[in-house]
Amino acid sequence: MAPAEGPVAIVAGGGRFPAEVAEAVRATGREALVIGLRGFAPRRIAGKRVATVDMLDPAGLIGLLREARPACVVLAGAVTRPGPLAISSVFSAFRNREELARILSSGDDRILRGAVALLEENGFRVVGAQEVAPGVLAPEGALTAARPTVAQEADIALATDLLAVTGRFDIGQGVVVSGGRVLAVEGPEGTDAMLDRVAQLQRSRRVRLDGGGGVLVKRPKPGQDLRVDLPALGPRTIAKLRAAGLSGAAVEAGGVVLIDRAETVRAADAAGLFLVGRRA
Amino acid sequence: MAPAEGPVAIVAGGGRFPAEVAEAVRATGREALVIGLRGFAPRRIAGKRVATVDMLDPAGLIGLLREARPACVVLAGAVTRPGPLAISSVFSAFRNREELARILSSGDDRILRGAVALLEENGFRVVGAQEVAPGVLAPEGALTAARPTVAQEADIALATDLLAVTGRFDIGQGVVVSGGRVLAVEGPEGTDAMLDRVAQLQRSRRVRLDGGGGVLVKRPKPGQDLRVDLPALGPRTIAKLRAAGLSGAAVEAGGVVLIDRAETVRAADAAGLFLVGRRA
């Protein structure tokens, strides 16, 4: 399953995830080279100095990768779409303006897909973090002291059924169910904004959670490109679950990244929430 | 289809809808008696003085209805959940405290369902506005000068397919689709808040509508009790559609109320939006 031997190049955006991927790769005995995107990645990751490149300088990135000669490349960590000023400034210097314009005129996902295409056209193999660092994915079973109750299991089952039918519509990476009632289906706004909505539904008295609380179920969308958009759950998600009054989360085992797992589980335990991995 | 001959009693909340129902009932040649909920309904509707009752005084409402001896009762117009102070003040006077507590401790829908149950227990027949005033529902066909393009028809078809599979989960009164992408599925937050979300998705650059715009499709949920929760579309929805950058809406013909139809169509035409009724 792991791509051919040799170093793994990690193109790093923001957050802790790139460092976790680097550590998990090194734990498998392979070399990890981190190329940070300027303004997103820290300058040092796990004590090592990170090579940096501007996200609007694809030629520079490819140059660095050619020197590194990695077996494969992983994109990890958050990036935001560059503003129009940054785009126009690179336009004045970069030769392949039309290509860049095409990539940047699309949504965030398409920017990342454009990056994957550019790397592949230049002969690099792009893989998902989970392929070189399987330890970053949620395992099967309970991770917390708390376990779902019978009522919460029924809500998990309902959410899972819903995700099964919405999958072909390319929606439903996340669903919130409480007491047999679907409170929210995740759209392009993402999981955090969906959980904010569930909190708001209660503040506005549109919804009152019954005693059983409620659950978040999260999994990759069918056909989702896990190289550019690996679903994730981390400490911030736990805080949002708590703010929304939910009881816990069930994620697809092997399909969802646990960002900073130790801290995520600690935060869930501190809040009395359950966190379980379930096979698809 | 129309309930037995005789006057129709309209228990009126806020907005223009109760007046429209009263006019539509009178247009069928029947008498319409309006009982306004104090603080919600205007004092006069179509030039006639409205009997008023406090929404926290079910005994008073039933007394007024016993005098009126209507063939049926319609609940029309918006009400909001009374605050805790109002509830406790009525608790001090009203004899059936437990019944009222049970009703008021639930969500808005359940308050209305509780009201229906109370009226039925007292021998009144409760029907939906559409049964005594079918003219308030969206007809089949285009209501506006604008018509859906081929691309928008494809988005309407996609949204309709999605609503068909989500129906058994008691969600999806509304869906927004743009360029083949599902942008939002309506939960308990309601259509307006969903359309605000679509506008926000664009402001936050999560989504950029393609040239084809996007569509709202709205219909009743399967099994929805149309006596207490008739889906509606009105001038405010048109303003929200416009703010969200959408191209128009398709509603279930015979299943969705058009609030203030003339103004709704005028506003849609002014904004260049389409509005079509489609058979389920």
Side-chain angles (χ1 to χ4, degrees), chain A residues 81-82 84 105 158 161-162 165-166 168-169 171 181-183 185 187-190 197 201 205-208, chain B residues 81-82 84 105 158 161-162 165-166 168-169 171 181-183 185 187-190 197 201 205-208:
Chain A
R81 182 191 169 78
S105 69
L158 178 66
D161 284 351
L162 176 58
V165 302
T166 56
R168 72 183 171 93
F169 295 95
I171 54 168
R181 185 178 186 192
V182 179
L183 300 188
V185 178
E189 74 278 11
R197 191 158 90 232
L201 279 173
R205 296 165 170 254
R206 286 266 187 178
V207 157
R208 176 185 292 212
Chain B
R81 184 189 168 78
S105 70
L158 179 66
D161 284 352
L162 176 58
V165 302
T166 56
R168 71 183 171 92
F169 295 94
I171 54 168
R181 185 177 186 195
V182 179
L183 300 188
V185 178
E189 74 279 11
R197 191 157 91 233
L201 279 172
R205 296 166 170 255
R206 287 264 185 180
V207 157
R208 177 185 291 212

Side-chain angles (χ1 to χ4, degrees), chain B residues 172-280:
Chain B
Q173 195 182 65
V175 167
V176 175
V177 175
S178 172
R181 185 177 186 195
V182 179
L183 300 188
V185 178
E186 184 177 331
E189 74 279 11
T191 304
D192 281 358
M194 176 180 64
L195 292 173
D196 288 344
R197 191 157 91 233
V198 173
Q200 176 56 32
L201 279 172
Q202 294 166 75
R203 280 196 298 274
S204 69
R205 296 166 170 255
R206 287 264 185 180
V207 157
R208 177 185 291 212
L209 297 190
D210 68 10
V215 303
L216 164 69
V217 175
K218 189 164 182 181
R219 53 121 219 211
K221 293 183 284 191
Q224 188 165 346
D225 187 344
L226 299 181
R227 296 177 304 173
V228 300
D229 187 19
L230 200 52
L233 187 150
R236 195 171 59 183
T237 321
I238 299 297
K240 297 276 185 190
L241 286 171
R242 197 180 171 194
L246 301 182
S247 308
V251 300
E252 185 176 307
V256 173
V257 163
L258 292 181
I259 305 270
D260 197 350
R261 182 186 303 196
E263 174 56 21
T264 298
V265 171
R266 195 205 58 75
D269 276 332
L273 302 182
F274 69 79
L275 184 55
V276 294
R278 290 283 162 84
R279 284 285 151 210

